[in-house]
Amino acid sequence: LCCGYWDMAALIRGLRAGRVLRGLGSVAVQTLSPQGSNVRRAFHRTILLQLVNDSKSDTSVPPPSYHEVHTAGESSSSSAHGESSEDAQPNTSFQDQSGEHGEDYETEEQLQARILTTALEFVPQHGWTVEAIAAGAETLGLSSASTGMFNNGAGDLVLHFVTQCNAQLAETLAEQNNQVQLGQAESKKTAEFMRDAVEMRLRMLIPYIDTWPQAMSILLLPHNIPGSLKHLSTMVDDIWYYAGDRSTDVNWYTRRAALTGIYNTTELVMVQDSSPDFEETWAFLDNRIKDVVNMANTAKEVQATGESVVQGLMGAAITLKNITGMNQRR
Amino acid sequence: MQRAAKCALRLDLSRAFCLEVNVNVCMLKSLPPPRDEEEKAMLDSMLRVDHAGEYGANRIYAGQMAVLGRTRTGPLIQYMWDQEKMHLEKFNEILGEHRVRPTLLLPLWNIAGFALGMILTRIEGTMSCTVAVEESISEHYNSQIQTLMEAEPERYTELLQVMLLKNFVMMKKKNRDTGLEHDAESVPGYLLLKTVIQVDCKAAIYILQRI
């Protein structure tokens, strides 16, 4: 059992070594069984090849069998896709490192990421739908039927956007952290840092704010919930990490829960906010952060008071014991 | 009389070995950044379990001190507790640096460890309990070491050093305590107690790796 697990892990590691963009486009591969996703990907690749390369005769490409795709790195598989266009490429590390394919080939994840990024421009027009993805694909010169690549349809688009925003946020926070480390900037207090980070992240929604309620409801669909929760938790973890939280006790959980609450409620307020430049949203955010800070301070005070009360009681008890002579040993 | 002598011997040996462990723990600068998802998950769960173990040991000593703090063995327990505190500090640092999530069961661990510490001072078979616990933990460290060695020994040399040393210390303690274990074997229900403890340890490790 142990060996089997490590073989699988090695296989997965090998498969993933070919990916360039980790964060983007990994949405489509969230299933647990690599075999199933490989088959699906190969199937979609075949569709894509046939649709895009009408000129090239793809009849020589045999439909990839389950066994063939599973044993990635077989020469038959690589030669079958050797004639592939510049758009699709079997994304296994064995082929990537073989040097047969030039740099103008990209992996399927990269292609999906490109399509989704372009599709974002059409969201204000079409909403978070498959039509937006189709419009994006057409802009890149691909057939609109390539939306078949995205099993989750609009969900893929929304999750891609969320991943992109989180990556941008993490980058900016890391950059700020760097500057503080180098002494070029001053470190902010926690409350201020939180406020700025959440505001920065929420401002990324502004271009899509009209259609954001639709996106939020898509994220709440049952099959999207694991993905959206994971993104939310990584984002919250990032913010706290760069705010300097290194706690290793139950505080780790309470802080992240508090920030999740703040973020979600502020997002909801923002969606229905019509004030200029969302002033009301930022005011709401300020108040929520103040609340949390107050609560933390109150908790500390309560604990200190409790401790002194307990000590007082112990002192009283000992005094009583002394008075009644119970403390003496005869 | 015999027990006191054995206690003193244990103190000296503990001091020798514990100091060695501390030096190495302090030298553990940092682990290499994880390459990909499963490696991070594996390291995460290992560090999480080890951190919870240190935390639990800390609380057990706290419980023992609460009961035996003012007796003759107080200083010994206090000394060993201080060693554990240093280990815990180091693990806290490692967790923070690598953004590992601490286990959700920490509050439970807090109370359980303290209670266990208090209980351990009462029952006759304390030594056998300690031996049983250390056997399980030793086995656990062994499996972690095996995992790391199978993956790639060069990446984890420092972590492996720490683990191997801790394992070595525990095995030494176990050998020392084997003599005391023979005394404890006369305690009725010793075998049952030992089995219960070992099963508990395994279950705890399993849960901690996940939650």
Side-chain angles (χ1 to χ4, degrees):
Chain A
L1 186 69
C2 196
C3 293
Y5 169 74
W6 284 110
D7 284 342
M8 186 64 85
L11 177 65
I12 294 174
R13 206 176 292 150
L15 288 173
R16 289 187 183 176
R19 278 198 207 152
V20 175
L21 297 171
R22 288 248 163 75
L24 303 172
S26 64
V27 166
V29 202
Q30 267 174 7
T31 56
L32 285 176
S33 69
Q35 292 103 327
S37 64
N38 269 345
V39 172
R40 215 184 51 245
R41 261 185 273 149
F43 180 56
H44 291 143
R45 223 175 293 135
T46 321
I47 291 181
L48 195 59
L49 284 173
Q50 286 170 358
L51 288 170
V52 175
N53 300 321
D54 288 325
S55 54
K56 292 188 189 175
S57 62
D58 282 316
T59 50
S60 58
V61 177
S65 68
Y66 179 91
H67 177 70
E68 192 178 304
V69 171
H70 176 55
T71 57
E74 270 195 357
S75 55
S76 60
S77 181
S78 68
S79 63
H81 293 290
E83 315 147 4
S84 66
S85 68
E86 61 276 3
D87 287 327
Q89 173 192 328
N91 61 335
T92 60
S93 65
F94 305 99
Q95 274 105 13
D96 282 346
Q97 292 163 5
S98 67
E100 290 173 13
H101 308 286
E103 281 160 8
D104 44 341
Y105 288 115
E106 60 178 351
T107 63
E108 182 162 331
E109 272 94 17
Q110 282 175 312
L111 172 67
Q112 286 184 348
R114 265 204 315 148
I115 295 180
L116 290 176
T117 313
T118 326
L120 286 177
E121 294 165 28
F122 297 93
V123 164
Q125 193 185 352
H126 294 284
W128 299 91
T129 54
V130 185
E131 281 85 40
I133 304 181
E138 273 168 11
T139 317
L140 286 178
L142 300 167
S143 151
S144 63
S146 53
T147 55
M149 251 202 302
F150 304 102
N151 290 356
N152 212 358
D156 275 340
L157 184 58
V158 178
L159 286 171
H160 170 81
F161 175 65
V162 168
T163 319
Q164 213 178 32
C165 288
N166 288 350
Q168 216 176 324
L169 176 73
E171 223 180 278
T172 319
L173 289 179
E175 182 54 44
Q176 282 180 0
N177 196 28
N178 251 353
Q179 293 203 324
V180 168
Q181 300 269 350
L182 294 173
Q184 289 171 3
E186 294 198 358
S187 67
K188 303 182 197 169
K189 294 177 61 93
T190 310
E192 203 190 318
F193 185 92
M194 290 287 125
R195 193 204 177 287
D196 289 341
V198 175
E199 186 182 332
M200 192 190 326
R201 176 63 177 82
L202 285 175
R203 277 193 185 273
M204 297 182 198
L205 300 178
I206 291 183
Y208 307 97
I209 197 70
D210 295 324
T211 46
W212 193 244
Q214 185 193 12
M216 282 170 72
S217 61
I218 291 176
L219 284 176
L220 283 175
L221 289 174
H223 55 266
N224 285 330
I225 285 185
S228 67
L229 275 184
K230 188 171 77 104
H231 286 118
L232 182 63
S233 58
T234 17
M235 178 193 76
V236 166
D237 187 37
D238 275 341
I239 296 182
W240 266 119
Y241 178 74
Y242 287 113
D245 173 50
R246 298 284 181 277
S247 54
T248 49
D249 50 3
V250 85
N251 273 330
W252 194 96
Y253 290 93
T254 50
R255 284 179 182 178
R256 278 152 184 76
L259 184 59
T260 311
I262 292 177
Y263 179 82
N264 281 337
T265 47
T266 315
E267 195 184 4
L268 284 173
V269 165
M270 187 172 172
V271 162
Q272 349 161 12
D273 188 10
S274 51
S275 60
D277 195 35
F278 301 94
E279 286 161 358
E280 282 175 13
T281 310
W282 313 134
F284 178 86
L285 176 62
D286 271 334
N287 287 336
R288 293 293 74 70
I289 292 188
K290 244 182 258 172
D291 282 346
V292 167
V293 168
N294 275 344
M295 236 182 0
N297 286 342
T298 315
K300 264 188 238 165
E301 279 171 20
V302 163
Q303 195 183 14
T305 313
E307 274 170 16
S308 357
V309 164
V310 164
Q311 277 182 353
L313 284 175
M314 297 273 284
I318 292 177
T319 314
L320 210 60
K321 274 166 84 174
N322 284 339
I323 290 175
T324 57
M326 270 163 51
N327 232 6
Q328 292 173 9
R329 291 169 196 254
R330 290 174 208 275
Chain B
M1 198 54 192
Q2 233 185 2
R3 268 193 156 214
K6 282 180 180 161
C7 251
L9 180 63
R10 202 182 322 139
L11 171 59
D12 290 331
L13 288 172
S14 301
R15 209 171 269 157
F17 285 119
C18 281
L19 280 178
E20 239 185 295
V21 174
N22 284 327
V23 163
N24 269 304
V25 168
C26 292
M27 267 172 21
L28 177 64
K29 292 186 207 63
S30 64
L31 302 167
R35 253 180 308 194
D36 52 11
E37 290 293 320
E38 314 85 50
E39 193 180 341
K40 179 153 184 26
M42 173 188 82
L43 274 180
D44 263 15
S45 69
M46 279 171 62
L47 291 174
R48 182 158 48 242
V49 172
D50 290 344
H51 172 257
E54 293 296 333
Y55 187 81
N58 228 14
R59 296 309 295 161
I60 290 179
Y61 278 119
Q64 288 189 328
M65 269 307 278
V67 176
L68 295 177
R70 291 188 207 108
T71 66
R72 223 173 3 142
T73 43
L76 167 65
I77 299 178
Q78 180 67 45
Y79 178 77
M80 293 173 76
W81 190 15
D82 290 337
Q83 306 290 320
E84 293 299 327
K85 277 190 202 162
M86 282 205 270
H87 294 175
L88 186 62
E89 267 302 311
K90 195 63 208 176
F91 263 108
N92 281 342
E93 265 179 52
I94 294 179
L95 249 63
E97 214 177 287
H98 293 273
R99 302 176 63 169
V100 178
R101 168 178 69 87
T103 174
L104 189 57
L105 299 173
L106 273 183
L108 185 68
W109 224 226
N110 192 348
I111 301 172
F114 197 82
L116 187 63
M118 292 180 70
I119 291 171
L120 276 181
T121 57
R122 286 278 172 243
I123 59 180
E124 277 289 321
T126 304
M127 225 50 263
S128 62
C129 286
T130 323
V131 167
V133 166
E134 287 187 357
E135 255 180 53
S136 306
I137 308 273
S138 186
E139 216 181 291
H140 162 68
Y141 272 128
N142 267 335
S143 73
Q144 280 193 346
I145 289 171
Q146 254 184 358
T147 313
L148 288 179
M149 296 285 269
E150 273 172 17
E152 215 178 296
E154 302 87 36
R155 273 170 76 77
Y156 306 111
T157 28
E158 289 185 20
L159 187 59
L160 273 173
Q161 271 176 6
V162 171
M163 283 184 174
L164 281 167
L165 208 54
K166 290 189 81 133
N167 220 13
F168 175 67
V169 168
M170 279 197 291
M171 288 200 308
K172 277 284 166 192
K173 273 165 91 174
K174 183 187 172 222
N175 288 339
R176 274 202 318 273
D177 296 331
T178 314
L180 291 162
E181 194 179 341
H182 288 313
D183 290 344
E185 261 167 18
S186 59
V187 172
Y190 160 75
L191 207 57
L192 178 66
L193 189 63
K194 184 168 171 186
T195 323
V196 165
I197 287 180
Q198 288 192 325
V199 165
D200 279 345
C201 280
K202 286 210 175 69
I205 289 174
Y206 181 80
I207 294 176
L208 285 173
Q209 276 175 335
R210 275 134 189 95
I211 298 193

